[in-house]
Every structure is written in C-alpha cells, then in structure tokens.
C-alpha cells in the first residue's frame, strides 16, 4: 500500500520542528501539522508596536544544552543572535529583592537564605557533585533521590532551602507545586543548566529558532490532527481536510494532547501518557512607557516571589533587562507570572480580572507599574510544562525501553526535562527511532 509521506509530524513546537529537520536532512519526505496559525509552541513570541513579547519560555543555557547548540551550529546560527543575559536573578525576602539566586556567590551573600540554609545548600551541592554521574537529565529515574517530591526531599533540611530557593525556582520557572513534582528531575536540571551568569536568550525573541527551522520545512499551520490510528507498518491521520497516511507519525505535542488524539496506543505507552500531567501557565505582559524594574543592589532580569511571600505571583521577568530589543528605546516590558496555586482560580477568568489581580500585586515590587503601563496582554498555556510527578518518574524507564512502532513521540515530557533542551534532545532520540524504521524501507525501494 502506498503512503502519502514517510513521516508526519504533529506539532510545530521546537521539538516537532527539530525532529522534522533531522528527518528531512536524512532524505525522508516530512510534513509538519500545526493546529494553531504560527510555529513555536511554548516558545512562541509576538510583536506589537516595537515590543517583542515572549509568551512562554524565557531563556536557554550555555551549559547543558548540548543538543540545542548542535542544532544552532548546523544552522550556522550567529552567536550574536544568542547573547548572554548578564543579569542576576533575585528572590523577594524581608521586603526587598535579594540577588544571587542560582549564582555561586549566593552561598556567600545569602540570596535570601539564612546561614544555616546556606550550609545545607552547600552540603547538597557537594553531595550531588560527588555523585554527578547519577544525575543524568536524560534518565532522572536513576538518581539516588528516588521518587520523593521536592517538598518531601527537603523536609529534613532547613525550611529556608525549600521556601526561598527550591520552591520559588520550581514555581517561577516550571510552574510546579513542590508537593506534587519529583525532586530527581529538578536536581538533574539544576545541575545541567548551571548558574544564571551563563544563561542566554534569543535577541529577536524566543521563537527565533522555531521560525528559522520552519522556513526550511513543509509546515501546515491551522491544520489540526483529530485522530492518529496506528496500523502494523504505518499510521493514519484524520484532519479536517481529509486523511493522510504515513510510514511513521511523530506526536510532538504535550502528553495529554497525544493521549487524546492517539486512538490505539499500546497499553504501556498509554499508562505513561496518562501519568505525564502538565501544569498550566498564566502570564501578563506589561508594555511600559519607561523601563521600570524592582529596586536591587545588583542589576536583575528576574525576581522570584516565593509562595511564603506571595500567593498570587510566582515572579516577574524584566524583559527589557533580559535583552534591550524586547522594548522600544526608552520603554520597558515586564512579564508577571501567576503562582501555581493561584492559576486554577484565574485561568478561566476574564482578561480584565487576570490583569487586575496580577498588576495590583506587582505594585508591591514595582511601584508605579500601573501609571507606566501602556497596554497589557494575557497569555494562557493550558499545557505549560510537564509536571514530572513521581508516578511519571516510576514509569519512564519502561516507556524509554518501548518497542519501535509506527507512532512515536518527542517533547520535553518524554525525558521529564521541562526545558527547550529537553524538547530538542527528545526530538533527536525520536528521529533516530524513526530512521531505524524508514531508512531500510527506502533502501529496499531504491534497489
């Protein structure tokens, strides 16, 4: 039986586009289907009157992002397009911003931690450093932390370590509830990315890489896949415009979406998909007429607001400090991130209510915010980041060892590695699995 494509990729986020690029480079016929009208997924950005607004992901790392940097090199990506942020991250405590989060100097200055908590942190860093081979971000299920949640693991440590470091970082950057998410993926990721001084951004918006990849591919935006049905040697996709058959289908969408559209997954795969829950993301962008920022003893680009201090906000990103091109000259741009505990009550609220709640609370950290705001935008991402629960961690090794079939997956949730690097790394693994099925077929056809 003939096929329309070698590979159909569902989802034009960075994982889907990276996988499609690898497969297209190998000579396969590949098409990417994206339900929305733009590419980038959770790395999407938009432009408005000189502002560049990142809706989801905020930064990448010089350390630990091996797959991403390999991809950038193959694209001849100029290093000037991926500049260092060069600013600190602060945490709010004692009514002021305490800079030095994720910075080696934070052990000396405190970065919001008491002396006893800093000693506990130093012990933790030494312990993970000695056992660094066991903290592989590709295999978080193999760490010595087991299936304990972040909160459970820290229960015997000084409470500041949870309240003013692990919780604000997990809540601010991953949207995690530390009582639900496993400590192992968190520790692996923190070891992988290193300190904040090595973090970077894309000068023209976090969607830059996605846009450049899409230019080289057959991408059908506004094309929603409603069903994927696996057969013995191929799979069928059902779309509004009809049915498409492919030798392989790559589901590069969040696990809950994959579970919904994949009609007949093997039982073991379905179990892992069900365990891979996601946390929603809710942000408000504040387009300012001047570059306001929280007062700090050092320049900062992010302020984390622990749940011990604030139940509405998890943090603020000072986007014009992250990169000056995010706002017009003389203007400013802030992103306000809703706290994980506040999101369920706010996600379905009107834009006006969301803006009102978050901006009112942000005045505590950025006085004069309301007067300086020209316009606000609300960003809702239903499937924001993989939650990396103990249940998913328990099932991941079995899922990773699954037999190769006509339907496969890519996304940061596959590795329980909530980052763009997790998506790119999973894409490379998925591409190799797909090639192992398709290259022999192509070779036989050429004979």
């Amino acid at each position: 039986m003939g096929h329309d494509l070698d590979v159909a990729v569902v989802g034009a986020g960075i994982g889907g586009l990276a996988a499609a690029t690898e497969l297209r480079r190998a000579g396969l016929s590949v098409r990417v289907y994206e339900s929305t009208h733009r590419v980038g997924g959770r790395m999407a950005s938009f432009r408005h009157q000189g502002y560049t607004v990142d809706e989801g992901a905020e930064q990448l790392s010089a350390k630990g992002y091996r797959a991403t940097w390999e991809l950038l090199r193959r694209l001849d990506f100029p290093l000037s397009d991926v500049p260092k942020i060069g600013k600190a991250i602060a945490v709010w405590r004692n009514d002021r911003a305490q800079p030095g989060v994720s910075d080696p100097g934070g052990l000396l200055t405190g970065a919001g931690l008491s002396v006893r908590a800093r000693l506990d942190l130093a012990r933790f860093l030494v312990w993970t450093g000695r056992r660094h081979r066991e903290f592989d971000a590709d295999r978080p299920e193999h760490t010595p932390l087991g299936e304990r949640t972040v909160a459970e693991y820290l229960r015997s440590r000084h409470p500041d370590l949870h309240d003013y470091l692990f919780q604000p970082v997990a809540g601010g950057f991953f949207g995690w509830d530390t009582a639900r998410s496993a400590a192992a993926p968190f520790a692996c990721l923190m070891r992988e990315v290193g300190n904040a001084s090595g973090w970077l951004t894309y000068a023209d918006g976090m969607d830059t890489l996605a846009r450049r990849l899409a230019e080289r591919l057959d991408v059908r935006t506004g094309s929603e896949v409603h069903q994927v049905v696996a057969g013995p040697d191929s799979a069928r996709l059902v779309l509004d415009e009809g049915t498409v058959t492919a030798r392989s289908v790559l589901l590069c969408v969040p696990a809950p979406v994959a579970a919904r559209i994949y009609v007949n997954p093997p039982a073991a795969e379905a179990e892992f998909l069900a365990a891979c829950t996601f946390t929603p993301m809710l942000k408000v962008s504040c387009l300012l007429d001047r570059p306001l920022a929280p007062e700090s003893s050092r320049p900062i680009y992010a302020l984390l607001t622990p749940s011990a201090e604030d139940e509405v906000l998890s943090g603020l990103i000072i986007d014009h400090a992250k990169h000056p091109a995010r706002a017009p000259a003389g203007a400013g741009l802030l992103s306000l991130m809703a706290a994980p505990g506040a999101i369920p009550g706010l996600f379905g609220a009107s834009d006006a209510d969301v803006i009102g709640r978050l901006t009112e609370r942000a005045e505590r950290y950025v006085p004069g915010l309301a007067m300086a705001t020209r316009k606000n935008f609300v960003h809702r991402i239903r499937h924001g980041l993989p939650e990396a629960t103990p249940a998913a961690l328990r099932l991941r090794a079995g899922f990773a060892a699954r037999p190769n079939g006509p339907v496969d997956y890519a996304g940061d949730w596959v590795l329980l590695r909530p980052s763009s690097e997790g998506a790119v790394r999973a894409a490379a693994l998925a591409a190799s699995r797909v090639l192992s099925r398709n290259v022999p077929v192509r070779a036989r056809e050429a004979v």
Side-chain angles (χ1 to χ4, degrees), residues 46-268:
F46 76 93
R47 284 85 188 158
H48 179 82
Q49 297 181 355
Y51 296 87
T52 298
V53 180
D54 296 329
E55 297 183 46
E58 298 286 355
Q59 65 274 313
L60 67 158
S61 175
K63 177 187 174 186
Y65 274 48
R66 178 175 55 84
T68 300
W69 287 107
E70 287 177 359
L71 181 58
L72 292 173
R73 280 191 290 272
R74 286 200 297 271
L75 294 172
D76 294 323
F77 215 87
L79 290 179
S80 59
D81 287 356
V82 197
K84 278 190 175 183
I85 295 171
K87 308 290 193 304
I89 300 174
V91 66
W92 187 266
R93 189 173 193 182
N94 297 328
D95 293 321
R96 66 186 182 94
Q98 310 267 359
V101 176
S102 190
D103 187 324
L107 283 173
L108 300 175
T109 62
L113 296 178
S114 65
V115 173
R116 284 182 57 199
R118 277 179 268 167
L119 289 172
D120 267 359
L121 176 59
R123 294 187 189 101
F124 174 77
L125 294 175
V126 168
W127 178 69
T128 57
R130 287 174 177 167
R131 306 183 67 166
H132 66 276
R133 289 185 178 84
E134 298 175 81
F135 286 85
D136 182 351
D138 283 350
R139 301 171 182 82
E141 65 276 11
H142 295 315
T143 76
L145 296 175
E147 296 174 8
R148 286 173 287 180
T149 66
V150 176
E152 286 171 344
Y153 176 71
L154 293 172
R155 198 162 288 156
S156 61
R157 274 70 178 175
H158 192 281
D160 277 6
L161 206 56
H162 175 272
D163 293 350
Y164 288 93
L165 181 58
F166 282 65
Q167 185 282 316
V169 170
F173 288 119
F174 306 152
W176 280 6
D177 177 346
T178 56
R180 287 181 53 82
S181 296
F186 181 82
C188 290
L189 189 59
M190 291 301 98
R191 278 197 54 81
E192 180 182 58
V193 301
N195 64 73
S197 63
W199 293 2
L200 309 96
T201 188
Y202 293 97
D204 192 33
M206 288 301 291
D207 68 342
T208 302
L209 177 56
R211 288 186 287 113
R212 295 193 189 181
L213 290 173
E215 289 170 358
R216 305 171 179 225
L217 297 167
D218 178 4
V219 180
R220 307 290 174 92
T221 57
S223 185
E224 184 174 359
V225 175
H226 299 291
Q227 286 187 346
V228 172
V229 184
D233 298 306
S234 63
R236 175 168 47 89
L237 296 85
V238 179
L239 305 93
D240 286 334
E241 54 267 40
T243 299
V244 174
T245 59
R247 297 186 192 280
S248 294
V249 173
L250 263 185
L251 296 176
C252 303
V253 291
V257 178
R260 174 171 55 81
I261 65 176
Y262 189 5
V263 172
N264 57 339

Side-chain angles (χ1 to χ4, degrees), residues 282-362:
L282 180 62
K283 295 170 60 176
V284 170
S285 297
C286 303
L287 282 56
L288 310 178
D289 61 15
R290 53 190 181 274
L292 291 181
E295 185 177 341
S296 174
S297 59
R298 290 166 52 193
I300 63 173
Y301 89 94
L303 173 66
L304 303 178
T305 53
S307 59
E309 301 277 345
D310 196 320
E311 296 178 351
V312 176
L313 287 178
S314 65
L316 303 82
I317 301 294
I318 303 97
D319 294 277
H320 57 266
K322 185 172 71 175
H323 193 277
R326 291 296 196 273
L333 176 64
L334 295 182
S335 296
L336 313 180
M337 300 178 290
I343 290 177
L346 286 172
F347 200 87
S350 68
D351 282 3
D353 286 344
V354 173
I355 291 166
R357 287 288 306 280
L358 269 60
T359 56
E360 179 184 12
R361 189 56 62 97

